[in-house]
Amino acid sequence: MDAGLRHMLERMPKAELHMHIEGSLEPELIFALAARNGVALKYRSVDELRHAYAFTDLQSFLDIYYAGASVLLKEQDFYDMTRAYLERARADNVRHAELFFDPQTHTERGVSFGTAIGGIHRALQDARTEWGMSSALIMCFLRHLSEEEAFATLEQALPYRDKFIGVGLDSSERGHPPEKFARVFARCRELGLRLVAHAGEEGPPEYIRTALDLLQVERIDHGVRCLEDAELTLRLARDKVPLTVCPLSNVRLRVFDKAADHNLMRLLEAGLTVTVNSDDPAYFGGYVNDNFREMFAVLPLGRTHAHQLARDSFSASFLPPAEKQKLMAEVDAFFAS
Ligand code: ADE
Ligand code: ZN
């Protein structure tokens, strides 16, 4: 790739909208927290753990991802994990980050909702005061668990309503269609929460349609399989429904065989609002700038695409309109210079 384009991708102001904070736990930090907390791991070394990151599909990743999160016990652990991600994001010139977290991964192990959200939120506050980086937190329901468990999680979350802006839906997609959570999402909508859902990652385009129709989500996380359905693609373009795309994740989880097969360029050509994100950066080979560099290296993407992706990362965010405008103006000024 041209050095100028590379520099532009790295330095352009951007937002990251699809990043699971538990997926930012690097093996070194997993081992450090395991030692600090006296948690036994089934891997003997950082290298051995990294070696296990040879995924064949979403489930093979999730099994290791949930095992990694088992070292998180104390508020400070959640703080340290979040702080480490924010430092990496800052180096990639991420100006605004909307983070997912999976409370059920922790509450199922006896770690309280307050412990998890408290540590994450404190790190977000520090990044705001120290660096002026803005952020928001989105709590995800694990779709392999029941509707009843999702409702119980929502109850636990309500005392912390001021610390998160919305809800999402993640974990094993196939066999757990959006309609399973229609009533939970309806309740969240009544509460004024912003709504997103993973759909069309491994699951069929139909899951994207039902996420829109039955959950009434505002963004689709992944959504790359939409191109299999022409009518759905037209609808997503017409309604400007953002897709938070995670290229390196899709390659590692075998949604596409290799980076050059990724449909990012085709999504853009279809007129869709797309953003580039890291999903679970510690597991998929890189942070947001790594995702940009890889896609621009293997696909015929150029400066105009970079400008559009940077702009849309803010336009698709849940920032207040005035903040969005300010950051999009910064993007425009960056590309004008
Ligand atoms: N949880 C963390 N990463 C995920 C992904 N890519 N898909 C579904 N659930 C997830
Ligand atoms: Zn995800």
Side-chain angles (χ1 to χ4, degrees):
M1 189 193 342
D2 171 68
L5 179 58
R6 183 187 172 108
H7 182 76
M8 190 166 282
L9 293 171
E10 290 167 354
R11 298 321 307 156
M12 66 189 188
K14 57 184 74 72
E16 179 155 50
L17 307 179
H18 183 160
M19 208 290 301
H20 304 261
I21 194 60
E22 295 90 347
S24 75
L25 262 185
E26 292 286 348
E28 290 77 7
L29 188 53
I30 291 178
F31 271 84
L33 293 176
R36 191 159 100 187
N37 290 330
V39 174
L41 292 170
K42 72 174 198 186
Y43 305 93
R44 279 168 308 180
S45 67
V46 164
D47 278 349
E48 195 178 307
L49 177 56
R50 250 188 229 289
H51 235 82
Y53 294 1
F55 312 118
T56 50
D57 59 6
L58 176 57
Q59 193 59 50
S60 66
F61 153 69
L62 290 169
D63 293 341
I64 290 186
Y65 161 86
Y66 295 130
S70 70
V71 300
L72 297 161
L73 296 183
K74 310 221 168 67
E75 196 256 15
Q76 188 65 40
D77 305 337
F78 289 90
Y79 180 92
D80 291 345
M81 166 179 70
T82 309
R83 179 75 181 184
Y85 162 72
L86 292 167
E87 282 172 357
R88 279 298 283 105
R90 181 172 182 242
D92 282 359
N93 221 20
V94 170
R95 305 288 304 279
H96 173 72
E98 296 183 2
L99 271 51
F100 293 132
F101 81 117
D102 286 341
Q104 289 159 298
T105 298
H106 313 302
T107 53
E108 284 211 317
R109 300 179 290 115
V111 174
S112 77
F113 190 98
T115 297
I117 201 168
I120 298 168
H121 185 258
R122 185 160 61 86
L124 297 180
Q125 288 290 67
D126 284 353
R128 191 179 299 268
T129 47
E130 289 172 37
W131 311 326
M133 190 195 291
S134 63
S135 55
L137 204 46
I138 297 172
M139 113 171 146
C140 286
F141 299 114
L142 297 181
R143 68 201 306 158
H144 68 274
L145 299 180
S146 68
E147 177 194 45
E148 188 186 352
E149 286 163 299
F151 268 118
T153 301
L154 181 58
E155 277 305 309
Q156 291 168 2
L158 290 181
Y160 306 94
R161 175 67 187 86
D162 60 322
K163 293 191 170 55
F164 64 99
I165 58 157
V167 298
L169 189 62
D170 68 358
S171 190
S172 323
E173 187 182 10
R174 287 198 187 115
H176 300 285
E179 52 265 36
K180 183 173 165 187
F181 298 95
R183 289 185 291 202
V184 185
F185 271 65
R187 179 69 190 125
C188 291
R189 194 162 62 249
E190 282 170 9
L191 291 166
L193 289 159
R194 310 302 296 257
L195 309 177
V196 299
H198 283 53
E201 176 186 18
E202 273 192 350
E206 185 59 20
Y207 286 16
I208 300 174
R209 194 176 284 110
T210 47
L212 294 171
D213 290 339
L214 303 179
L215 304 187
Q216 292 186 236
V217 299
E218 301 168 72
R219 296 197 298 242
I220 296 286
D221 296 312
H222 294 293
V224 290
R225 289 194 58 194
C226 71
L227 293 186
E228 295 168 29
D229 183 326
E231 191 188 307
L232 174 65
T233 304
L234 286 174
R235 173 183 178 182
L236 291 167
R238 183 196 66 208
D239 296 346
K240 297 187 166 47
V241 180
L243 305 184
T244 62
V245 173
C246 307
L248 289 175
S249 163
N250 293 153
V251 175
R252 288 297 178 101
L253 299 186
R254 318 291 313 186
V255 174
F256 299 97
D257 286 338
K258 55 185 192 298
D261 295 338
H262 199 282
N263 66 5
L264 177 65
M265 180 87 182
R266 283 181 283 135
L267 294 169
L268 290 167
E269 283 170 348
L272 299 170
T273 302
V274 172
T275 73
V276 169
N277 309 269
S278 66
D279 206 7
D280 300 282
Y283 292 91
F284 299 147
Y287 288 77
V288 70
N289 280 1
D290 296 304
N291 277 270
F292 275 109
R293 279 189 292 261
E294 182 69 17
M295 284 293 96
F296 279 69
V298 301
L299 299 177
L301 295 161
R303 180 192 171 98
T304 312
H305 301 106
H307 188 172
Q308 183 183 344
L309 289 166
R311 255 189 150 263
D312 282 344
S313 73
F314 294 113
S315 77
S317 76
F318 292 141
L319 280 166
E323 279 298 302
K324 276 191 197 184
Q325 289 307 327
K326 186 171 143 265
L327 287 158
M328 287 194 284
E330 275 188 45
V331 171
D332 293 345
F334 176 88
F335 279 93
S337 69

